Amino acid sequence: MAPRTKEQFENIREEKKQLIFEAAFDLFALEGYHSTSITKIAKRANTSKGLLYNYFESKEALLLEILSSGLNEMMQLFDPNHDGILSEEEMLNFLSNLFEMLKTNNRYWRLYYAIFFQPTVFELINTQFADIFTKMMKLLTDYFAHHGLQEPEKEALVFGSLIDGIAFNYVMNPDLYPIEDIKDYIIHKFCYIKK
Amino acid sequence: MAPRTKEQFENIREEKKQLIFEAAFDLFALEGYHSTSITKIAKRANTSKGLLYNYFESKEALLLEILSSGLNEMMQLFDPNHDGILSEEEMLNFLSNLFEMLKTNNRYWRLYYAIFFQPTVFELINTQFADIFTKMMKLLTDYFAHHGLQEPEKEALVFGSLIDGIAFNYVMNPDLYPIEDIKDYIIHKFCYIKK
Amino acid sequence: MAPRTKEQFENIREEKKQLIFEAAFDLFALEGYHSTSITKIAKRANTSKGLLYNYFESKEALLLEILSSGLNEMMQLFDPNHDGILSEEEMLNFLSNLFEMLKTNNRYWRLYYAIFFQPTVFELINTQFADIFTKMMKLLTDYFAHHGLQEPEKEALVFGSLIDGIAFNYVMNPDLYPIEDIKDYIIHKFCYIKK
Amino acid sequence: MAPRTKEQFENIREEKKQLIFEAAFDLFALEGYHSTSITKIAKRANTSKGLLYNYFESKEALLLEILSSGLNEMMQLFDPNHDGILSEEEMLNFLSNLFEMLKTNNRYWRLYYAIFFQPTVFELINTQFADIFTKMMKLLTDYFAHHGLQEPEKEALVFGSLIDGIAFNYVMNPDLYPIEDIKDYIIHKFCYIKK
DNA sequence: CATGAATGAGGGTTCATTCAT
DNA sequence: AATGAATGAACCCTCATTCAT
């Protein structure tokens, strides 16, 4: 008889929203953003189309929330809040975390790549990523300079591209790509840590 | 006027088809596959929707033809039809051609990436790529083995990933990515050619 | 606390209902009936959608109640409960009240017009109005006849139309229409009162 | 076999567009803009929903085209392209045309009023009407000044309001309102023409 | 008395595809 | 070979109303 308390409502909301979020994430990753209809998402989340709009403003907002949540996860991982200098240990951590994320969040990264190349969507996300990218490049350039490499900017770019390429290949073929071997190779080559 | 010969008709046919092909290519690359309507394509090709269906079975068929043609171009470039051994000069050619293609066919590669990650389309194309990929890996592995590297398979994979990463970064940011510098770096590092 | 008496409950009920009524009125007038959602009304009334349906059977019922209440107000104003003869003083009162109402209830009249012309709604209200209209016409006809005009029915109709036209113009442009001037003009012309 | 000529297409378009236009007009006038769905319009025009969008950009565009076409008709009627002075004969013409239009385009005017009071739509149309309105007021003011009335602006406003009120009453009750009588009354009173 | 999560029918709109000409 | 009018299914989204609590 008594109306539900605010917390009760909050819980219901949180749970349902998560359900829809997960359903959308799965479908976007499995079948692509454009091929996934709101109807499909609602069906997979065992709910109604209408309710989806109680939680997300639009299909695009739902997508952005998914992407954004992945970004935030990543930023937490890579922002050690430090002095601006990348030590060998930090580089090691960085790479370990990266490879770990690729393995555990495989689904997200595949979706992310799929979205990234959608010409229309690209611009929406790009600015958010640009900052992270620039920051990382600065760190890497300093890192390579500190280790005496001749053209640290170029090295940083090549290193970044290599990481991208590895991520990209692994994500598209997680079963075939020997990610562990590659990880060891990269760590051994770029961490300059003596045993 | 004399009635047109069969070849003339054939030429007209081919030209019109090419026009549609180009229009679709441009639009897919510029605005994405899903955002490009048949009407837009026909308009840009200065023709009618009906005619388009004379040349292509469906919108998806048109897309696949575009992708496939790009693939074939690439295969021609990278299939030297040789003895299975990659010489230093061949490697140099390989890389030169690759970078050249990235620069001149930027448009295609961006579309290609956009499509590649569409989960549904991916499977369709993937098998065609798998062959090329395997062949190239074999060549590269031999190449690195021949130059005395300890783990040539791993080196080949890393090299492949690096190339992918560079292509990917350049294609998404052709104006900012210093492709020439990177090209020199790569050639200098992997071609083992002494001056 | 002592349990609330029945009247107290009744008062709460009435107050809440009034709040919803006002909120709906404002929104209908400001944004139109169809553009105003139940959610918006509930939000503006600081209550819930569910409660709204405790007081009003449906959105349409809410609308009709608003319109009806305005009608009643007007009827009270114009029904002097008299002998069927309109004296000059009564005519003066009539006009004063009318112009006063236009100025103070501007909001209502605009809504009323907006609704009035909705073909579907029109029929619903029209019968209620027909009575008032007929009664007023009778009064006016007698009035003009009594003052010696040749075709009193026609004069009554023209007078009624003029009043409608003024109301209509003022309501749609309250800031620009010089209602006071027009009021003086009308009173001077139709009240036949000598100073 | 040969494709249709441009004229053939043009004819088909013109006819079909007119059909849809009429269907929409009828329904908007009968049931109101918001209560008329695209589906209903298409059904009444014996066509498909999709086709409607071949001819009209949106439901709102369709509405505006209907309103606009009525406006244009009216402007042609009332714009004698003259010297800025309204003679008695011109005033007579003006009024005759007006009453004629009310009678023949009854449907349009009812729709027009219905739309006019939709709060959202009002602004869209208003600017287009404002010009005509201002122009007419100027003409009328001069007209009354020329005939020696003391406060010509006020007279013009009152005259305008009266016309509005008559139109409004007639349009809402075409069967009961004695438009012919009123017309004679108005002409006799405001045309200052001696027999 | 009070809440807002949940529904589902229907809204306007788009677009690949077909087909009469 | 060539046209674009016509279709209809599916799209995303809105919202009055219900109901468990």
Side-chain angles (χ1 to χ4, degrees), chain B residues 179-192:
Chain B
I179 188 73
E180 283 300 326
D181 291 353
I182 301 296
K183 174 183 164 186
D184 293 344
Y185 177 96
I186 296 292
I187 286 177
H188 177 259
K189 183 133 184 217
F190 292 98
C191 285
Y192 311 108

Side-chain angles (χ1 to χ4, degrees), chain A residues 24-57:
Chain A
F25 199 160
D26 288 348
L27 285 169
F28 286 166
L30 273 168
E31 314 189 351
Y33 174 70
H34 285 104
S35 306
T36 300
S37 70
I38 293 286
T39 305
K40 263 192 216 161
I41 298 173
K43 214 163 268 171
R44 179 179 263 248
N46 252 335
T47 185
S48 66
K49 271 192 287 183
L51 193 60
L52 194 147
Y53 287 89
N54 228 324
Y55 298 110
F56 301 95
E57 267 203 339

Side-chain angles (χ1 to χ4, degrees), chain A residues 40-167:
Chain A
K40 263 192 216 161
I41 298 173
K43 214 163 268 171
R44 179 179 263 248
N46 252 335
T47 185
S48 66
K49 271 192 287 183
L51 193 60
L52 194 147
Y53 287 89
N54 228 324
Y55 298 110
F56 301 95
E57 267 203 339
S58 66
K59 193 188 175 188
E60 191 180 323
L62 175 50
L63 170 67
L64 287 179
E65 198 152 318
I66 288 173
L67 290 174
S68 181
S69 92
L71 260 186
N72 285 340
E73 248 179 68
M74 194 174 89
M75 281 181 63
Q76 278 171 12
L77 227 57
F78 290 132
D79 191 0
N81 238 348
H82 54 44
D83 47 12
I85 293 174
L86 204 60
S87 68
E88 286 85 353
E89 282 79 17
E90 281 170 341
M91 180 57 132
L92 182 61
N93 260 325
F94 174 102
L95 288 172
S96 300
N97 286 337
L98 178 99
F99 284 105
E100 205 49 40
M101 259 189 40
L102 284 178
K103 275 158 52 183
T104 55
N105 287 12
N106 192 295
R107 195 181 59 155
Y108 169 76
W109 288 106
R110 183 149 177 174
L111 171 60
Y112 168 67
Y113 281 120
I115 298 308
F116 193 72
F117 290 106
Q118 301 297 335
T120 328
V121 184
F122 175 62
E123 279 80 20
L124 281 175
I125 326 172
N126 203 27
T127 47
Q128 297 189 49
F129 274 90
D131 285 347
I132 306 176
F133 179 76
T134 311
K135 219 161 146 194
M136 278 173 50
M137 275 302 136
K138 174 77 170 58
L139 274 178
L140 286 172
T141 303
D142 291 350
Y143 179 80
F144 288 121
H146 178 255
H147 284 91
L149 295 203
Q150 296 277 335
E151 301 180 287
E153 291 95 354
K154 213 186 273 186
E155 295 287 344
L157 262 179
V158 169
F159 179 78
S161 299
L162 174 56
I163 295 295
D164 276 343
I166 290 168

Side-chain angles (χ1 to χ4, degrees), chain D residues 129-170:
Chain D
F129 273 91
D131 285 348
I132 306 177
F133 180 75
T134 311
K135 220 162 147 193
M136 280 174 49
M137 275 301 137
K138 174 78 171 57
L139 273 178
L140 287 172
T141 304
D142 291 349
Y143 179 79
F144 288 121
H146 178 254
H147 283 91
L149 295 204
Q150 296 276 336
E151 301 180 287
E153 292 94 355
K154 214 186 270 186
E155 295 287 344
L157 262 179
V158 169
F159 178 77
S161 298
L162 175 55
I163 296 294
D164 277 344
I166 291 169
F168 167 105
N169 273 278
Y170 170 61

